[in-house]
Amino acid sequence: MSKTIAAISTGSAPGGIGVIRISGDNAVEIASRVFLPIDNSSLTELKGYRAKYGNIIIDGEKADNAVALVFRAPKSYTGEDVAELSVHGGLLMVKKTLEAVLKNGASPAGAGEFTKRAFLNGKLDLTQAESVAELISAEGEQSLKASFNALQGALSRKINSVLDSLLDVSALMAAWIDYPDEEIPDLSEDELKSTLEKCRNEIKALLDGYENGQTVTKGVATAIVGKPNVGKSSLMNMLTGTDKSIVTHIEGTTRDVVEGAVRLGGIVLHLSDTAGLRQSDDIVEAIGIEKAYKALDSAQLVLAVFDSSQPLGANDLDIIEKCKNKTAVAVINKTDLENALDEEEIKKAFEKTVYISAKNGDGYDALEEAVSELLGVAQFDSSAPMLANARQKNNCENAFASINEALDALSLGMTFDAVNVMIDAAADELLSLTGRKATTEVVNNIFKNFCVGK
Ligand code: GDP
């Protein structure tokens, strides 16, 4: 018997509709105590996948018009009986309906508890459960596609196919070891090796795509740097399409680091528009500059802006120096003005140089292309299976290491017994990745990062 839980499943801002989700053995019974169908029927009689229009009843009085949806176990998101009440989405109405549901016997759902129950009831594996969280938080087009793809089981299928191969090899070896007198076909060492190598390569391909995937799905911390008045704020505005940072003639007006996220192509750039990078005696300004240098140090991508209407100055050279060893694009701005800049130093120092006019928006496409190429995401395929987080990566790294050990052991002529221990270790990592054999601690850790209502 599962405890019946309830939570608000829609956001925490007012909207047209707010949904209260109830899941567990008494879900429909509890919903029927706060919802009366317009035809006076009882919700408890309703079959799965049916809806009723009616009223929310709080303290014996009609409180709102609502729609109740009923799902019957196991055909629901959680695999349990589920009722969903859609009320008008004012925050107070949604909250009051939830309170009524709780008063009538449901317990408040914990963070991610609906999805956790879906996992425990075999509706989703762990990679799919994680993709629910990714899908909800996705900010970019590619990220959305990739997480939906994972929800559809792209990664699970890939991992399970490698796992099946490993388990086949392991079973065969175990049989060969345990029943030497039986009619078990001879194990060819070459075949074993080639199967293991194939498994290893598939895991390697997933690991190789990890950084790229993270860049595309999570976005990159980006610093816009340049001496005062080169057009950093203007570039930021060109990217955001809003007047988020102040554009002005007076040097040093961008005193602090302004944060914002923009999409450039399929990638999300987490921008910090930084105060001019230069020496300063003004204390407030100096704090801004210090922050700017910090932003530069921790940035995964730097957009270094130069003014094409002025010769290179000491500040520019300083910035060029700071950008060494960084993933950086030189952005030569103000191309609408007469050119006075000798670009040789810049071109030598940066892998990519683009020309823009932040004033009239020229060069946007070139910047987009340069960033995408520089980050190596130009060829990103969001439909390919992809590792979504450090947990999944860690499991794959361990599996990869164990398969390598097994291959080495085979080459050294170690016994099948010993080799099989390593293959089993690799299989265990993959079982843990998809959750078929994950510890309670791993499972709890995953769901504690979800929001309530998911
Ligand atoms: P920041 O100090 O680097 O943030 O520079 P701003 O974005 O505040 O720009 C400084 C000045 O340069 C402002 O007067 C802008 O209007 C001007 N500016 C910025 N970009 C361009 C451009 O592409 N062409 C021209 N002609 N002026 C620009």
Side-chain angles (χ1 to χ4, degrees):
M1 177 116 180
S2 70
K3 187 176 76 173
T4 298
I5 52 169
I8 298 165
S9 278
T10 38
S12 52
I17 291 172
V19 175
I20 292 92
R21 185 189 264 162
I22 314 166
S23 179
D25 290 347
N26 293 330
V28 183
E29 169 70 34
I30 291 171
S32 77
R33 292 181 205 145
V34 298
F35 175 86
L36 185 65
I38 209 85
D39 58 9
N40 284 327
S41 62
S42 171
L43 215 53
T44 53
E45 306 298 320
L46 211 59
K47 288 185 183 156
Y49 295 135
R50 298 283 201 281
K52 281 278 181 187
Y53 176 65
N55 289 299
I56 295 293
I57 309 291
I58 297 177
D59 298 331
E61 288 193 25
K62 287 181 189 170
D64 194 10
N65 303 134
V67 171
L69 271 169
V70 167
F71 303 84
R72 295 290 182 179
K75 294 183 175 173
S76 71
Y77 181 67
T78 56
E80 306 171 331
D81 274 3
V82 169
E84 285 181 4
L85 301 173
S86 302
V87 299
H88 286 111
L91 292 182
L92 188 57
M93 191 63 239
V94 179
K95 197 167 151 259
K96 280 178 75 100
T97 308
L98 175 65
E99 278 168 11
V101 167
L102 297 179
K103 225 164 135 185
N104 278 283
S107 309
E113 201 170 350
F114 294 109
T115 309
K116 185 176 177 182
R117 288 186 177 200
F119 164 67
L120 294 174
N121 290 324
K123 306 292 285 186
L124 307 160
D125 74 9
L126 274 189
T127 70
Q128 289 170 309
E130 283 171 321
S131 69
V132 172
E134 301 278 337
L135 190 70
I136 291 169
S137 63
E139 289 177 323
E141 197 72 34
Q142 302 270 40
S143 171
L144 208 55
K145 279 192 198 155
S147 47
F148 182 62
N149 200 34
L151 181 60
Q152 300 286 88
L155 180 62
S156 314
R157 279 194 295 280
K158 169 61 75 189
I159 295 294
N160 284 331
S161 98
V162 174
L163 185 61
D164 285 347
S165 300
L166 289 177
L167 294 178
D168 280 352
V169 168
S170 165
L172 213 59
M173 286 172 92
W176 201 84
I177 298 159
D178 293 343
Y179 307 102
D181 304 330
E182 303 283 325
E183 291 283 303
I184 292 165
D186 254 0
L187 273 182
S188 135
E189 212 173 294
D190 281 349
E191 244 174 70
L192 269 184
K193 266 191 188 159
S194 106
T195 307
L196 289 178
E197 273 165 6
K198 190 161 171 274
C199 291
R200 181 188 61 181
N201 295 345
E202 299 212 0
I203 293 186
K204 173 90 174 22
L206 285 173
L207 286 168
D208 285 348
Y210 180 72
E211 290 302 332
N212 248 343
Q214 289 291 294
T215 301
V216 171
T217 55
K218 303 282 186 294
V220 282
T222 306
I224 300 178
V225 299
K227 67 183 180 190
N229 276 327
V230 286
K232 297 179 297 297
S233 309
S234 307
L235 170 60
M236 173 110 166
N237 290 342
M238 173 176 161
L239 292 172
T240 56
T242 64
D243 265 349
K244 196 162 186 168
S245 31
I246 325 141
V247 179
T248 162
H249 285 289
I250 308 156
E251 278 202 0
T253 37
T254 319
R255 290 198 169 234
D256 216 333
V257 179
V258 183
E259 306 281 347
V262 295
R263 269 183 287 276
L264 186 65
I267 311 164
V268 173
L269 306 185
H270 299 285
L271 290 177
S272 50
D273 176 11
T274 47
L277 290 178
R278 57 174 186 139
Q279 303 306 316
S280 172
D281 296 330
D282 178 315
I283 288 179
V284 182
E285 184 62 25
I287 292 169
I289 290 167
E290 203 166 293
K291 279 194 180 178
Y293 275 124
K294 269 208 180 118
L296 191 149
D297 279 342
S298 60
Q300 295 162 286
L301 173 72
V302 180
L303 303 179
V305 188
F306 302 93
D307 185 342
S308 74
S309 69
Q310 285 181 17
L312 272 192
N315 288 333
D316 293 310
L317 294 173
D318 202 29
I319 285 161
I320 292 176
E321 188 56 34
K322 282 258 183 246
C323 287
K324 280 193 178 143
N325 305 320
K326 300 284 317 178
T327 304
V329 179
V331 180
I332 298 181
N333 187 32
K334 306 196 189 183
T335 52
D336 54 294
L337 300 179
E338 199 170 323
N339 186 57
L341 180 76
D342 176 6
E343 298 141 30
E344 275 320 297
E345 283 300 316
I346 297 176
K347 285 193 157 167
K348 258 195 281 170
F350 291 84
E351 204 178 314
K352 297 268 177 201
T353 303
V354 295
Y355 298 85
I356 69 161
S357 164
K359 190 178 177 187
N360 55 30
D362 286 350
Y364 182 91
D365 291 348
L367 181 60
E368 179 179 322
E369 196 181 315
V371 166
S372 159
E373 279 177 15
L374 200 62
L375 294 175
V377 295
Q379 314 302 328
F380 181 76
D381 175 6
S382 59
S383 67
M386 194 184 82
L387 299 173
N389 53 41
R391 180 191 78 85
Q392 298 176 359
K393 179 178 168 236
N394 187 257
N395 284 136
C396 278
E397 279 171 346
N398 293 343
F400 179 78
S402 291
I403 297 174
N404 262 341
E405 279 176 28
L407 278 164
D408 286 347
L410 268 180
S411 302
L412 291 170
M414 284 168 75
T415 62
F416 279 179
D417 252 3
V419 177
N420 222 5
V421 170
M422 296 155 198
I423 296 177
D424 284 346
D428 271 356
E429 291 292 334
L430 301 185
L431 284 166
S432 161
L433 198 164
T434 60
R436 278 158 71 183
K437 204 173 159 183
T439 62
T440 315
E441 196 191 347
V442 166
V443 173
N444 288 344
N445 243 328
I446 289 172
F447 290 101
K448 82 165 196 266
N449 294 321
F450 276 56
C451 298
V452 172
K454 260 187 234 160

